[in-house]
Amino acid sequence: MNKQTIPHNRGINNNGWAFYCQNIAPARDDGVYAGIGLIDSALKTSTDTAVNYYLEPIWDFAQIGSFDNYVSTTIFGRGQSGDIHLMAYAGSYICRCHDYSQTIGLAYRSICVDPNGVLLYGGSRYLGKAFTTTLSAQLTASASTCDLTDASNFPTSGYALVVEGDGLNKCEIIQWTDKTDNKLTGVTRGKYNTTDGKHLSGTTVYYFDDDYKDFGAENSKTNRVMKNWEDKTLIANGRYVATLSGDTLNAGALTLPLGYNVVDFGFLPTGSSSKILVCANKDEEGAIFVWDGSDTKYSTEIKMENISCADGRYIATDLGIYECNGVVNNLFWRNPDSENSINGKSFWIRSIKERGNYVLIIGLTNSYIRGRSGIYVIDKRSGDSYYLTNGGLDSYYSLLNSIFISNESFLFFGGSYNGGSIHYLSNSPKANGSQYWYLFKPANAQTIKLKQIKLNVGTDTAIDSYPNGDFNFDVVVRYYDFTRPFHQRTQLASGTTETNKDTLVVSSLSTPQVGDRVEIVASQYSTDINAGCPRNITAVVAGDGKYTLTLDEELPEKTTATTYSRSGEVKIIPLKKAGKISVNGDIYLKDLTFNIPDQPEGKKFIFEIEVRINDTSKTYNPELNYMEVYYDILD
């Protein structure tokens, strides 16, 4: 019997073994960690059933303060309709604090904190600013007047946000109809589904001034993106770059050629100062204009395809990510799925952030093959990328919109999934499995018979809270021999309710077979814990326009019609199960052996390693170091 050792030191890479890594991250000893995932941090719902209010998809975000002092930390998010939301770093409290009305088109999505710590937000014509003051006296519950330290920037009527408490659970929106000196009068309490309550003297109060600065004309084509550079804020203004320094607005600090619209800003360090990479699009083409930030003209124009977003020297387009040096662009990363696909250009990068040795992106596309709409972590050193699904549920059509990186943690602000919930990166994921897929081709195109798989698994004591054992996770190995089409899609059958946790009823869009891998991929809200939990089929019973599937293991809950959409997407893949090993108590991690049933023959195979963390209260990350494939050579 022959043996080949395969290292698990590559993420998604054209030259590596792996072509799909879900909830996987690079490990210390050239392996990969399983168990990295996204946790649902916050979901805003109303207790008033008549309101039915969910947090809208967040398109941009801004942080006032620093995580070095949590009390001073305030995170604002800008929703797709232009509303501004205040949210806590941890916990479920989110407050809709402002409805911005001076906008049309895409322009309302921008928000930032300027170099002086002031919150700014953009519209199609106006630039908004959040003026702050404090309560000069306690605001009692149900009080109809409000005493402020300085109300000079507050109009005679409007809305204000009162912020109190580290967890933000005492935030309240008030409305007033008149003002005398520093006293707001005619105050109505508990607006926007907030709670009327008592607030102490010294509590921060925000007023959002929608028309703080006027650009002079409506512009619905620019997304009004804003980023800070040195002591000023750069603002997209159609074919112009506007700058704000203190209270001084220069609406046309830089003028681009006719037809271009600014979409984002990158930055190129050059010694003691930096260059600004002004990213703009014109029809079907894009360009980077290199600018020193002070001259009225740019120095260099670099032509390229349409640009979606930028961060630092990294420029994202529909075709991939480029690294700009101020003269030329070099391809840094392209989604491997897009290399040989006619649909490759459909991969839209919504947000990009550079962090240490990694670049993080949110990519959006509609794909039934597997979940491609989600978050990728790209290693700048190797070019490998690691895919993190949206919430670990592998939903194929969940649209994430922006990435937030705090001083200490990664935070991903969600889009359409889970009613606009917010997710954050964690080493303590949900029980939904991590998956590592790779293609195995024997040397010299030999035909082989698979016999056995052995895994070498370890743990990292720098991350694991329980390095000496006390583990509770499962490892499942599956294989595919290319004798059938790899992918089929179906849906949960309408009008049916499963009676057991080990049963699924699907429509007749495809024909499942015994041994196939089946997985729910489209879920509605966080109650759908069955999504992203693959199982294998042990029996198929045909019905009228449907199939009843018996599974090899129970799902976390029954797939009832009340909790799951009956048209929810299901993927069926002929990955047969080689076996499952439960790691708990005394077990030798370095030699997990799986005998391959049926001993399939072929010239190439796909293997899947799935890791399920059963006890999510503990922080540990199983490390896949390498695997050994045992086989007989047939020719």
Side-chain angles (χ1 to χ4, degrees), residues 280-302:
N281 291 331
K282 178 183 179 182
D283 300 324
E284 293 300 315
E285 66 178 27
I288 297 173
F289 299 88
V290 182
W291 183 42
D292 65 4
S294 59
D295 201 338
T296 57
K297 296 182 180 180
Y298 53 87
S299 60
T300 308
E301 178 182 354
I302 307 171

Side-chain angles (χ1 to χ4, degrees), residues 8 28 32-34 453-461 464 466-475 477 581-594 609 611-613 620-628:
H8 290 162
R28 45 162 194 176
V32 291
Y33 285 130
I453 296 292
K454 288 185 179 181
L455 295 180
N456 183 294
V457 179
T459 61
D460 186 353
T461 57
D464 299 335
Y466 299 86
N468 297 319
D470 201 16
F471 298 119
N472 185 5
F473 62 89
D474 297 329
V475 180
V477 171
I581 294 178
S582 295
V583 178
N584 48 42
D586 281 336
I587 189 167
Y588 187 54
L589 293 177
K590 304 297 184 182
D591 188 10
L592 303 183
T593 301
F594 300 82
I609 302 172
V611 179
R612 306 172 189 166
I613 309 296
Y620 51 82
N621 297 78
E623 180 179 328
L624 305 178
N625 296 318
Y626 61 86
M627 69 179 298
E628 296 174 345

Side-chain angles (χ1 to χ4, degrees), residues 339-351:
E339 284 291 303
N340 301 307
S341 170
I342 196 171
N343 295 318
K345 201 175 187 309
S346 67
F347 189 73
W348 176 38
I349 298 177
R350 169 63 184 91
S351 184

Side-chain angles (χ1 to χ4, degrees), residues 7 101 126 163 165 170 233 246 258 292 294 326 340 367 391 508 517 523 539 556 629 632:
S101 59
Y126 298 97
V163 178
K170 294 184 179 180
T233 300
L258 190 65
D292 65 4
S294 59
N340 301 307
S367 173
S508 57
R517 175 191 187 276
S523 61
V629 180
D632 291 335

Side-chain angles (χ1 to χ4, degrees), residues 135-293:
L135 295 177
S136 61
Q138 179 175 280
L139 178 62
T140 60
S142 303
S144 59
T145 62
C146 178
D147 295 306
L148 302 179
T149 302
D150 181 5
S152 59
N153 292 313
F154 285 54
T156 55
S157 64
Y159 291 78
L161 166 68
V162 183
V163 178
E164 181 180 349
D166 296 352
L168 309 182
N169 59 329
K170 294 184 179 180
C171 293
E172 182 184 354
I173 302 297
I174 63 172
Q175 182 184 16
W176 73 97
T177 58
D178 206 351
K179 181 182 75 166
T180 301
D181 296 327
N182 291 326
K183 183 186 290 289
L184 307 180
T185 60
V187 174
T188 303
R189 309 294 298 277
K191 304 295 288 186
Y192 294 166
N193 297 315
T194 58
T195 301
D196 176 2
K198 180 179 70 174
H199 303 284
L200 301 176
S201 176
T203 296
T204 301
V205 181
Y206 288 86
Y207 165 66
F208 298 89
D209 183 358
D210 285 348
D211 52 5
Y212 163 63
K213 295 292 181 181
D214 187 352
F215 288 101
E218 294 283 357
N219 188 335
S220 61
K221 293 183 179 180
T222 182
N223 62 7
R224 200 69 76 194
V225 64
M226 297 183 288
K227 287 184 178 178
N228 295 322
W229 180 76
E230 296 185 351
D231 61 347
K232 64 185 69 174
T233 300
L234 308 174
I235 308 168
N237 188 26
R239 64 181 287 217
Y240 306 100
V241 176
T243 61
L244 182 71
S245 182
D247 284 327
T248 303
L249 175 68
N250 184 349
L254 177 69
T255 304
L256 301 184
L258 190 65
Y260 277 99
N261 277 286
V262 180
V263 295
D264 209 340
F265 302 101
F267 303 99
L268 183 67
T270 55
S272 60
S273 62
S274 66
K275 298 290 185 180
I276 302 169
L277 304 177
V278 181
C279 303
N281 291 331
K282 178 183 179 182
D283 300 324
E284 293 300 315
E285 66 178 27
I288 297 173
F289 299 88
V290 182
W291 183 42
D292 65 4

Side-chain angles (χ1 to χ4, degrees), residues 393 417 432 522-531 557 563-565:
L393 299 181
Y417 177 75
N432 306 87
S523 61
Q524 300 300 312
Y525 299 107
S526 58
T527 54
D528 296 357
I529 61 175
N530 286 350
E557 65 180 7
T563 56
Y564 290 84
S565 168

